[in-house]
Amino acid sequence: MSNIVVVGSQWGDEGKGKIVDYLSENADVIVRFQGGHNAGHTLVINGKTYKLSILPSGIVRQDKISVIGNGVVIDPWALLNEIEAIKKTGIKISSENLKISNSAPLILPIHSQIDKAREIQRGDSKIGTTGRGIGPAYEDKVARRAIRVSDLKDKSLLKEKVNKLLNHHNIWLKAQNFETLDPENIIANILDISQYILEFADETWVTLDNYNLKGKRILFEGAQGTMLDIDHGTYPFVTSSSTVSGNAASGSGFGLLNISKVLGITKAYTTRVGSGPFPTEQKNEIGNKLGELGHEFGTVTGRKRRCGWFDAVMVKQAIKISGISSIALTKLDVLDKFDELKVCTSYKIGGKEINFFPSCQIDQNQIEPNYEIIEGWNMKTEGISYFDKLPANAIKYIKRLESLIECKINIISTSPRREDTIILENIFN
């Protein structure tokens, strides 16, 4: 058995897309198990860039099966637009290589309307949501109001459920003086595309079980990062789903005991999009330099990412929470032009040193990072694909990170390109 879960171990944007794409060469099935089209992956393959927001990264490999699990919330119009965009690059997509869970909830225009209205109401206390309706869609799932992929099979049931959903949400929108939406328009628009979505509909948990019984290698791909998890992240500045590795099982219907390894993806520094605490953030020339060299803009939103030094406390915590067995370190090359680097080794709150990221929001805002200074290498690592070819100080930096986070780094990325990857251990073996 060799089924692997890939999760982010910071605040997302760690470069999961490239690593999943690289690993999918040795996988048979690639599964997306949570999130929506608020997260994105950028793949650079043979000089061509693919930007994905809801399709699994494995979709660009024609001989692989891609699965969107029940833990994902799906905007059907965004999905179809993405499918068409990828098809135009020459990639073939059909029910043979893309399967969508019948149980996956749909994101409707009412969800985006609510999302944006709430952010307006928050004023200066904005969460930083993308406004794409992901949060409200998950709320409806928990409240047992969701429209699911399987509901598209029955026109009368679909109408009934959409009317009830809109009646519920329009009351709040009207009371807050926001524009309400017409259920008839939404029903008509869904019916126009329902057959295109149903083409990919599948009892995906059965499909995954069958593949597992045949000895196929299954790769589970998470969105965002562990510190954006709804339970274990920097609440309330988090996403609306569970981003930890355990959700790979519940978000796909795949038995937890069938998962053999968890790979955490970690940048060689730290970034964050939107609001929320960020102890190692550099609101200075260092932060600007990291952002410029790392091209730190969101794949989906284009938003500028906040940048800072590597936070070993946070990554170590993510490793423990997600049960990460090894780390893929990305964007090492971004640090090539620094004379010295800093790594956060512990926190100080009110004069007291701690070695974990606190759950209390007040404590989070009072964190002072304790740094260790490490000499930079001022040499080019971009494009290096052998560990012993790295500059000596780059190797020292990697080894020091391993020691601090207490986890082995067995993959190192030195550029966005697929081929610029150092493999110290084949995790599928």
Side-chain angles (χ1 to χ4, degrees), residues 108-111 113-114 140 145 147 158-174 179-187 190:
L108 304 183
I110 190 69
H111 296 124
Q113 180 77 341
I114 293 167
D140 280 341
R145 290 188 295 261
I147 314 299
L158 179 65
K159 287 184 176 181
E160 178 185 343
K161 294 186 74 170
V162 171
N163 274 303
K164 287 182 178 179
L165 184 69
L166 269 290
N167 287 339
H168 173 83
H169 289 304
N170 277 336
I171 291 172
W172 180 82
L173 288 170
K174 185 176 181 180
E179 182 182 357
T180 60
L181 299 187
D182 181 3
E184 293 303 319
N185 285 340
I186 292 178
I187 291 168
I190 295 176

Side-chain angles (χ1 to χ4, degrees), residues 195-416:
Q195 290 307 312
Y196 297 103
I197 299 295
L198 288 173
E199 174 188 346
F200 305 103
D202 184 63
E203 293 294 335
T204 50
W205 76 268
V206 176
T207 300
L208 291 175
D209 185 55
N210 288 335
Y211 281 128
N212 186 54
L213 291 173
K214 293 176 183 176
K216 301 295 184 181
R217 291 174 167 177
I218 304 175
L219 186 63
F220 294 86
E221 172 186 30
Q224 289 99 14
T226 298
M227 298 310 291
L228 286 178
D229 182 83
I230 187 69
D231 291 309
H232 302 287
T234 49
Y235 192 90
F237 302 100
V238 293
T239 193
S240 302
S241 60
S242 177
T243 61
V244 299
S245 62
N247 195 34
S250 60
S252 65
F254 193 71
L256 188 61
L257 293 178
N258 293 319
I259 294 171
S260 51
K261 296 177 184 176
V262 179
L263 177 69
I265 314 299
T266 301
K267 270 181 186 165
Y269 50 102
T270 311
T271 64
R272 174 166 200 165
V273 171
S275 305
F278 185 170
T280 65
E281 182 176 12
Q282 298 297 297
K283 298 179 181 179
N284 50 31
E285 287 305 309
I286 295 292
N288 292 335
K289 185 176 179 179
L290 287 168
E292 290 170 9
L293 294 174
H295 307 289
E296 295 296 351
F297 296 92
T299 299
V300 173
T301 63
R303 289 187 295 179
K304 184 178 180 181
R305 296 174 186 141
R306 300 154 63 191
C307 299
W309 295 120
F310 189 90
D311 188 338
V313 178
M314 182 179 72
V315 173
K316 182 178 177 181
Q317 186 159 321
I319 287 168
K320 291 182 178 296
I321 290 171
S322 269
I324 291 169
S325 46
S326 62
I327 288 287
L329 187 71
T330 62
K331 290 199 166 185
L332 181 70
D333 54 301
V334 174
L335 302 181
D336 286 354
K337 296 181 180 180
F338 287 85
D339 293 324
E340 69 174 29
L341 308 169
K342 291 184 179 180
V343 176
C344 175
T345 58
S346 64
Y347 300 146
K348 188 188 299 180
I349 298 178
K352 181 182 178 181
E353 186 171 311
I354 64 171
N355 294 297
F356 61 90
F357 205 112
S359 58
C360 176
Q361 192 174 348
I362 294 175
D363 289 342
Q364 291 174 0
N365 293 330
Q366 295 177 352
I367 291 174
E368 295 178 39
N370 293 320
Y371 287 114
E372 178 179 313
I373 297 175
I374 300 176
E375 187 179 353
W377 46 91
N378 262 316
M379 295 172 65
K380 183 178 178 181
T381 63
E382 181 183 355
I384 292 177
S385 54
Y386 294 96
F387 188 72
D388 58 2
K389 298 294 183 182
L390 289 172
N393 282 348
I395 292 175
K396 288 180 182 177
Y397 182 72
I398 294 166
K399 293 296 184 183
R400 183 57 181 147
L401 295 189
E402 278 188 326
S403 174
L404 289 169
I405 64 177
E406 298 177 5
C407 188
K408 188 174 182 180
I409 296 172
N410 61 14
I411 299 176
I412 302 162
S413 173
T414 58
S415 95

Side-chain angles (χ1 to χ4, degrees), residues 22-277:
Y22 190 93
L23 294 174
S24 64
E25 182 177 0
N26 292 312
D28 301 296
V29 185
I30 297 87
V31 184
R32 173 81 181 273
F33 62 85
Q34 51 82 211
H37 64 307
N38 57 335
H41 292 150
T42 300
L43 311 179
V44 181
I45 302 168
N46 298 325
K48 182 178 285 189
T49 299
Y50 301 88
K51 292 184 180 293
L52 306 174
S53 62
I54 193 164
L55 290 171
S57 297
I59 201 69
V60 299
R61 293 184 182 270
Q62 298 287 263
D63 58 337
K64 311 297 180 181
I65 306 297
S66 289
V67 175
I68 299 176
N70 56 276
V72 180
V73 286
I74 300 171
D75 181 320
W77 297 277
L79 174 63
L80 292 178
N81 287 338
E82 188 172 330
I83 288 173
E84 289 307 309
I86 295 300
K87 280 183 175 180
K88 287 178 181 178
T89 68
I91 303 294
K92 295 179 181 179
I93 301 178
S94 70
S95 58
E96 295 299 311
N97 68 338
L98 175 63
K99 301 181 185 299
I100 302 172
S101 172
N102 275 316
S103 301
L106 298 180
I107 301 173
L108 304 183
I110 190 69
H111 296 124
S112 177
Q113 180 77 341
I114 293 167
D115 212 356
K116 293 173 182 176
R118 287 175 178 169
E119 280 291 82
I120 291 171
Q121 282 193 327
R122 289 185 181 108
D124 294 335
S125 300
K126 288 180 172 60
I127 296 295
T129 173
T130 60
R132 283 169 164 76
I134 281 80
Y138 273 117
E139 289 176 36
D140 280 341
K141 173 183 176 178
V142 174
R144 294 162 292 200
R145 290 188 295 261
I147 314 299
R148 307 203 299 178
V149 170
S150 59
D151 294 328
L152 301 178
K153 298 176 181 179
D154 189 302
K155 186 176 180 180
S156 60
L157 176 64
L158 179 65
K159 287 184 176 181
E160 178 185 343
K161 294 186 74 170
V162 171
N163 274 303
K164 287 182 178 179
L165 184 69
L166 269 290
N167 287 339
H168 173 83
H169 289 304
N170 277 336
I171 291 172
W172 180 82
L173 288 170
K174 185 176 181 180
Q176 301 300 319
N177 296 315
F178 290 108
E179 182 182 357
T180 60
L181 299 187
D182 181 3
E184 293 303 319
N185 285 340
I186 292 178
I187 291 168
N189 289 334
I190 295 176
L191 289 174
D192 280 345
I193 64 169
S194 60
Q195 290 307 312
Y196 297 103
I197 299 295
L198 288 173
E199 174 188 346
F200 305 103
D202 184 63
E203 293 294 335
T204 50
W205 76 268
V206 176
T207 300
L208 291 175
D209 185 55
N210 288 335
Y211 281 128
N212 186 54
L213 291 173
K214 293 176 183 176
K216 301 295 184 181
R217 291 174 167 177
I218 304 175
L219 186 63
F220 294 86
E221 172 186 30
Q224 289 99 14
T226 298
M227 298 310 291
L228 286 178
D229 182 83
I230 187 69
D231 291 309
H232 302 287
T234 49
Y235 192 90
F237 302 100
V238 293
T239 193
S240 302
S241 60
S242 177
T243 61
V244 299
S245 62
N247 195 34
S250 60
S252 65
F254 193 71
L256 188 61
L257 293 178
N258 293 319
I259 294 171
S260 51
K261 296 177 184 176
V262 179
L263 177 69
I265 314 299
T266 301
K267 270 181 186 165
Y269 50 102
T270 311
T271 64
R272 174 166 200 165
V273 171
S275 305

